[in-house]
Amino acid sequence: MTHDVTNQVPPLTGHDVSADRALLEGLAREGADWATGELHQLGVLAGSARAQEWGRLANDNPPVLRTHDRYGNRIDEVEFHPAWHELMSVAVANGMHAAPWMSARPGAHVARAAKFFVWSQVEAGHGCPISMTYAAVAALRHSPALRAEWEPLLASRTYDFGLRPAADKRGVLAGMAMTEKQGGSDVRAGTTRAEPLADGSFAITGHKWFNSAPMCDVFLVLAQAPGGLSCFLLPRVLPDGSRNAIRLMRLKDKLGNHSNASAEVEYEHAVAFLVGEEGRGVRTIIEMVNMTRLDCVIGSAAGMRYGLAQAIHHAGHRRAFGKELLDQPLMRNVLADLTLESEAATTLMLRLAGATDRAVRGDAAEGLFRRAALAAAKYWVCKRGPAHAAETLECLGGNGYVEESQMPRLFRESPLNGVWEGSGNVAALDLMRVLTREPEAMEAFFAEVALAGDGRVADAAERAQKTIASAGETDARRVAEEMALVLQASLLVRHAPAAVADAFCASRLAGDWGRAFGTLPGGLDLSAVLNRSVVMDRSVVLNRSGGTAR
């Protein structure tokens, strides 16, 4: 033998991904502790070598577009690796798509959010069609007849891949197409046309620059009808079995999200059905967008948790300069800081899931709170994702920069949720519109913050309200940041251990914090903070040295 392999970290596998204190505590707090057993079963599968291999294979073998069959007939199909279908089957069987809409059980949307959080840590790309299928139902409720026809299939727990008439399938998936070449986020600039037909349907003609998950069975599409911009339901296959006139022009070559297909599409008099009122397309489809924005927050929080778990695991096994990395004071500061960011994101996303569940069931106050809180969270949590991913990758050193570690995949994926469903500017400006046009939503937001009963949080809330009072459009990002931080602080003060809340307030609210992770101020109980990020059942951090930041 030329050498022995030593001081290499074993793979993080064979664990329960759901064994996350912030996640389990929030699940119970938001009314879904009845799903704890299901979540643990999913978490064990998510931590298995088998599931992790599915994630790797789905990304190493991206989808392929087949525009024509061997005889020259147009088919416009997307071909996936079998690992993709395994991931999708688990997601659908566990109700991460539209299943909560068919459940009368309080907390169904919270349970779904927790499962989405856990399973996204296996592989994030397949969450796109799962998320859109979940969100589509919110828009379809503007059209009772379409809802009655499609909701049972969208909520089915059977994954039935392939292009066939919906009546012949045991379950269907939904996608969305809003963005055009000339418009981007300005969807009102769209030029796709919708012409009314004699039977009450519409013929759609135009081009979409991004069609998310083009392999789905049905899509919500924006198009210009005679009465103005409207929302339509557009199936891939018509009831008679013929393919609708949807042409997949090419798949996007993306930075990340390699397992999932995104396409440019053209419609040539494709048949579609009006959803909601003609001319009110944005108001209709925004119901779907707000649900997928929640999933952007969940997905970013999941990425943070995954990266943190890998970093903690690595630091607990890797030795440098005479001791394990987890015993190095500066590394402990970095890991504790990353833990704070992760727990704050997880706690916030569960609060939003709880507000969603209660709002769907008729709680108007929760709906008002969610309106402001979701916009702030979409901006801030998704904005923090890439920085968090970069730091967790760096915790693994050169090993984290190697594809085999899967950390580069996390890093490439991390900017997507910030872009998807409205970039940072769009989210921040949406929050400003809420604050100016819906003052009752702002009141509900700060009433929630005040529940902390904490002077540090109260002072930060007062500063945020002063910022809002004098803010113009150019200040929208600062407003979103301050509101998100003060809400996270309030939630942690109420629900996290004192050591976590104190460290968060001392750094994020008091300003005694640097510009990079690992700059927590002195005097904090880092052991108690780090113990929140334990990955396995055993504690790897609680009783170690270097318990305070220096």
Side-chain angles (χ1 to χ4, degrees):
M1 294 182 66
T2 59
H3 69 280
D4 293 323
V5 177
T6 61
N7 200 29
Q8 287 291 332
V9 177
L12 176 55
T13 189
H15 63 294
D16 180 357
V17 174
S18 74
D20 174 343
R21 288 172 173 83
L23 176 68
L24 295 175
E25 292 166 8
L27 184 75
R29 187 170 58 247
E30 297 296 339
D33 53 345
W34 51 265
T36 301
E38 298 174 19
L39 190 65
H40 280 306
Q41 289 181 344
L42 182 67
V44 170
L45 178 59
S48 70
R50 177 173 58 139
Q52 292 173 16
E53 182 68 356
W54 290 340
R56 184 189 70 81
L57 289 171
N59 279 271
D60 288 353
N61 299 273
V64 176
L65 173 61
R66 306 295 186 192
T67 57
H68 296 77
D69 67 12
R70 60 182 293 191
Y71 304 107
N73 299 306
R74 188 99 198 196
I75 57 174
D76 296 290
E77 294 184 359
V78 184
E79 183 179 283
F80 289 85
H81 189 274
W84 166 272
H85 299 299
E86 296 283 5
L87 293 164
M88 291 291 294
S89 294
V90 172
V92 171
N94 279 273
M96 293 174 224
H97 58 322
W101 297 100
M102 299 289 286
S103 173
R105 195 168 195 175
H109 291 267
V110 179
R112 180 260 169 194
K115 291 178 180 179
F116 192 78
F117 174 88
V118 166
W119 196 238
S120 292
Q121 294 180 54
V122 176
E123 200 286 313
H126 80 289
C128 175
I130 295 297
S131 176
M132 288 186 298
T133 302
Y134 168 64
V137 175
L140 285 180
R141 293 195 165 193
H142 287 272
S143 293
L146 290 175
R147 173 191 174 186
E149 177 183 358
W150 288 93
E151 187 172 322
L153 285 169
L154 292 167
S156 167
R157 294 198 179 212
T158 300
Y159 174 59
D160 191 356
F161 184 79
L163 297 182
R164 302 189 303 281
D168 296 341
K169 301 193 70 173
R170 294 170 295 166
V172 300
L173 299 174
M176 176 170 56
M178 293 194 297
T179 307
E180 299 189 10
K181 294 188 294 286
Q182 74 288 343
S185 296
D186 184 7
V187 295
R188 294 187 185 277
T191 60
T192 298
R193 304 187 311 278
E195 302 171 15
L197 301 176
D199 63 358
S201 64
F202 287 75
I204 308 293
T205 302
H207 183 106
K208 295 294 181 180
W209 192 234
F210 273 94
N211 187 102
S212 299
M215 62 286 183
C216 288
D217 301 281
V218 65
F219 302 92
L220 291 186
V221 176
L222 288 180
Q224 301 286 355
L229 187 64
S230 305
C231 180
F232 296 90
L233 183 143
L234 193 154
R236 281 294 310 272
V237 180
L238 298 175
D240 63 2
S242 62
R243 300 286 173 92
N244 208 352
I246 307 170
R247 309 299 182 222
L248 306 188
M249 307 310 292
R250 62 170 178 167
L251 300 186
K252 296 289 192 180
D253 186 5
K254 298 169 292 186
L255 168 67
N257 204 243
H258 290 163
S259 68
N260 179 46
S262 304
E264 293 173 31
V265 301
E266 289 187 355
Y267 309 118
E268 301 175 9
H269 296 282
V271 176
F273 306 91
L274 182 66
V275 181
E277 297 179 42
E278 191 171 336
R280 298 175 70 84
V282 173
R283 174 165 291 193
T284 300
I285 208 167
I286 202 68
E287 300 286 348
M288 181 179 188
V289 170
N290 279 330
M291 289 296 173
T292 48
R293 283 178 176 173
L294 172 61
D295 280 5
C296 289
V297 178
I298 300 171
S300 290
M304 290 184 195
R305 175 61 187 177
Y306 175 84
L308 175 64
Q310 295 294 333
I312 286 282
H313 178 72
H314 181 89
H317 290 83
R318 182 79 165 179
R319 292 184 63 82
F321 309 110
K323 53 186 175 181
E324 291 181 353
L325 287 174
L326 199 53
D327 289 327
Q328 302 282 2
L330 186 54
M331 178 58 82
R332 292 175 70 78
N333 194 308
V334 171
L335 293 170
D337 214 350
L338 292 167
T339 298
L340 294 176
E341 199 72 36
S342 175
E343 178 148 354
T346 300
T347 304
L348 177 54
M349 75 87 176
L350 285 166
R351 177 67 184 92
L352 290 171
T356 297
D357 193 84
R358 290 183 281 276
V360 165
R361 300 175 196 283
D363 190 325
E366 285 289 88
L368 288 173
F369 162 74
R370 182 183 182 275
R371 183 73 181 94
L374 179 58
K378 167 61 171 75
Y379 170 79
W380 182 243
V381 175
C382 298
K383 189 64 67 180
R384 297 297 289 162
H388 195 276
E391 196 68 56
T392 56
L393 182 156
E394 188 175 327
C395 288
L396 276 64
N399 286 331
Y401 203 68
V402 174
E403 290 289 344
E404 291 168 318
S405 73
Q406 304 303 327
M407 296 301 282
R409 190 175 91 201
L410 171 67
F411 185 64
R412 287 192 297 268
E413 197 76 27
S414 63
L416 177 59
N417 286 311
V419 173
W420 196 28
E421 304 301 14
S423 60
N425 282 355
V426 172
L429 290 171
D430 184 42
L431 177 60
M432 293 295 287
R433 282 189 289 272
V434 172
L435 299 179
T436 56
R437 299 177 187 177
E438 303 176 50
E440 64 275 15
M442 185 171 75
E443 292 172 7
F445 179 92
F446 283 103
E448 171 80 16
V449 169
L451 293 175
D454 182 275
R456 299 164 299 181
V457 175
D459 290 344
E462 184 178 355
R463 291 195 298 270
Q465 288 172 308
K466 288 180 179 178
T467 300
I468 293 168
S470 61
E473 186 172 305
T474 57
D475 305 305
R477 285 185 173 223
R478 180 175 294 277
V479 168
E481 177 178 332
E482 291 188 18
M483 288 181 63
L485 286 173
V486 75
L487 177 57
Q488 286 181 323
S490 175
L491 291 169
L492 293 179
V493 166
R494 284 180 278 159
H495 306 307
V500 173
D502 290 346
F504 190 90
C505 291
S507 54
R508 274 66 168 176
L509 298 188
D512 190 9
W513 191 39
R515 291 177 175 82
F517 288 107
T519 55
L520 293 175
L524 300 173
D525 186 356
L526 296 194
S527 286
V529 174
L530 286 166
N531 199 45
R532 300 289 286 179
S533 59
V534 173
V535 179
M536 311 296 278
D537 292 335
R538 62 183 178 84
S539 173
V540 296
V541 295
L542 182 59
N543 298 314
R544 305 179 81 99
S545 61
T548 60
R550 301 294 182 190

